Structures are given as structure tokens and as C-alpha cells.
Amino acid sequence: MLNKLILLATLSSFALADVQFTSPAAGATLQAGKPIKAEWKDSGDGTPLTDLKTYTLFLCAGGNEAESFSQIAPINANGLFSAGNTASATVATTIGGPDKNAWFLKMQSVGAKGEQVINYSDRFTIAGMTGVFPANVITGLETVSGTDGPSSTAQKAPGAGAGGAEGEYAIPYSAQTGLIKYAPMKTPPGTKITAQKATPRYPTSKVSIAKTFLPTPKQTTTMTASQTAESILSKAFQAPAASMPTDDMQKFLARWRD
């Protein structure tokens, strides 16, 4: 019992606001080729939505486990909570199928200190879709029996726990095969220059020169991890103003005052 109380207290210290999606409704049927409009509100759990600053919103499909669904297309890749509680986008009809309750929304929100919370909407159908889902999505859909989406998750600010890239951002860029690729956060510069010569950070890799036209990439976008380093205020150098000349130059300048 004591261990449960300690765990609960620990999790509550990282609690963030929960986004509760109000549209699309659970089990709703949308039409392919028309805008997908997302609406949400504060669920009342944790801190208010005003503590969250930015978000990315994706259209997903598949099961409820992390490995059984995929982020198929972005709805808003650079959202601001200050801009309101709605977002919409039109996606290609070929990115997936019309399977019942296959689709749901995923919102990844970032707080002022870099804390992250991920919320999912209920499931819905997009009628008229003509594409084919990836294999993991097809397998994941076999486990779906209702309209509930995946469970929400919360993460501490980077640096508060284990460091390094997490989730999709930890997979090498060249090894990613999904419709959305993920690039890690840029490395913050150091405070001193100690290197005596430039050396590559990573070993060289083989390059194959294209001799014919390459196929059109299937990826829809690349997401780059948000910069989480603390900002540093900069101010102008407060050097005193140069004094006026007192020699022959001053006399020369004085001639042109009139």
C-alpha cells in the first residue's frame, strides 16, 4: 500500500493538463477528401491548458498499443494553444483505408519547461478512403473492438530524468520507414572552443549516385524534436560613448557648425 502511495505521489508531481477531444465524436463517420476538424477542451484533470504552449497534432490509425498504430499524416505540425482549441486539415485519400473506427487523433503537447503530455481522441471512420494501411496497422486493427483510443501519457521535462532522444526520435533517420520521419533536436553549442581542428562527428557512409530518376518519396513530412535548452537573455555591450575630440580635430569640426 505504501509503495502505491509513493508511486501516486511521484506521478502527480509530473501531472500536466489533459486535452479532451470533443470532435470528431466517438464512432463518427467523416468523408474522405473533406477537412478533418479537431476540437478539444480542458478535461479538468491536472493543471489548466494555459500551462501548455505548443502542440503537434497527427492523424493516426491502428491498434491501441504503441507498436500497433502509426502516425499517418500531420493535421498541425506547429500548433500554438494560444491560437485556440481547433485545428483542421485535408489529407490525401490514398494514405489509408475506410475501415470502421480505424482512425484517431494524437496530440503531443509541450509545456513551458519542456514537459510533454500525449492525448488521443476516440476512434472514428473516414469513408471513401482508397489507400492500404501498413502491415502493423492492419494487425493492430484486428485487436480493436470499440471506439476508445490509446491511453494518454505524460513525460517529465528533458533533463529531469534520463537524457537522450526518446521514442521515434531515437531511431536513426536512415532506418525510419514510416510516412513521417523524425529528426533529433539540434545539439546546443558549447561555451568554449577547445577543438584544434575540425573532425567529423559520425563515421562516413556509403553513397550511391543515382543514374536514373528515383521514385517519389512516400514520406509526408519530417518532424524535428523541439529545442529544450534554457534560453539565455542577451543584452547590448554597455561601452561608454567616445569623448569628443579636444585637439585640432575639434577646431576643424567646429568650423562646420553653421
Side-chain angles (χ1 to χ4, degrees):
M1 181 65 179
L2 179 60
N3 291 337
K4 291 183 178 180
L5 291 175
I6 294 175
L7 177 60
L8 180 60
T10 302
L11 292 176
S12 63
S13 65
F14 307 132
L16 287 173
D18 266 341
V19 171
Q20 180 180 342
F21 286 96
T22 58
S23 180
T29 298
L30 309 182
Q31 293 299 318
K34 293 186 177 181
I36 297 174
K37 184 177 182 180
E39 298 181 357
W40 60 90
K41 66 178 182 179
D42 193 325
S43 67
D45 297 330
T47 51
L49 286 184
T50 51
D51 285 2
L52 297 177
K53 303 303 180 183
T54 63
Y55 68 86
T56 53
L57 183 62
F58 297 97
L59 177 65
C60 302
N64 286 339
E65 301 301 325
E67 300 80 8
S68 67
F69 71 82
S70 294
Q71 295 176 178
I72 304 298
I75 300 297
N76 190 337
N78 298 286
L80 297 174
F81 279 98
S82 59
N85 291 3
T86 63
S88 64
T90 302
V91 300
T93 60
T94 57
I95 61 174
D99 306 51
K100 183 177 181 180
N101 293 330
W103 301 91
F104 56 89
L105 299 175
K106 172 186 176 181
M107 177 181 284
Q108 183 168 340
S109 310
V110 181
K113 297 182 179 180
E115 307 91 335
Q116 297 186 23
V117 60
I118 299 176
N119 296 106
Y120 299 90
S121 74
D122 290 321
R123 295 176 172 277
F124 53 89
T125 304
I126 306 181
M129 297 294 284
T130 60
V132 177
F133 286 125
N136 69 310
V137 171
I138 296 175
T139 302
L141 288 175
E142 294 175 355
T143 66
V144 174
S145 59
T147 59
D148 291 340
S151 300
S152 299
T153 61
Q155 299 175 0
K156 296 181 292 183
E166 297 181 352
E168 299 94 339
Y169 295 101
I171 302 174
Y173 192 86
S174 59
Q176 299 177 28
T177 58
L179 295 179
I180 299 175
K181 284 202 169 187
Y182 300 88
M185 173 180 66
K186 295 180 180 178
T187 303
T191 58
K192 296 180 179 180
I193 299 176
T194 58
Q196 299 299 316
K197 62 179 181 179
T199 57
R201 292 185 59 195
Y202 304 102
T204 58
S205 58
K206 294 182 179 179
V207 176
S208 298
I209 305 300
K211 298 180 179 180
T212 59
F213 288 106
L214 298 176
T216 303
K218 65 179 181 179
Q219 282 72 27
T220 58
T221 187
T222 295
M223 304 298 300
T224 303
S226 301
Q227 178 63 264
T228 56
E230 294 184 2
S231 60
I232 300 175
L233 293 177
S234 61
K235 63 179 182 179
F237 178 65
Q238 302 296 325
S243 59
M244 294 297 294
T246 58
D247 49 13
D248 292 342
M249 176 61 70
Q250 182 181 27
K251 297 178 181 179
F252 176 77
L253 295 175
R255 294 177 56 189
W256 306 102
R257 286 180 181 176
D258 297 336

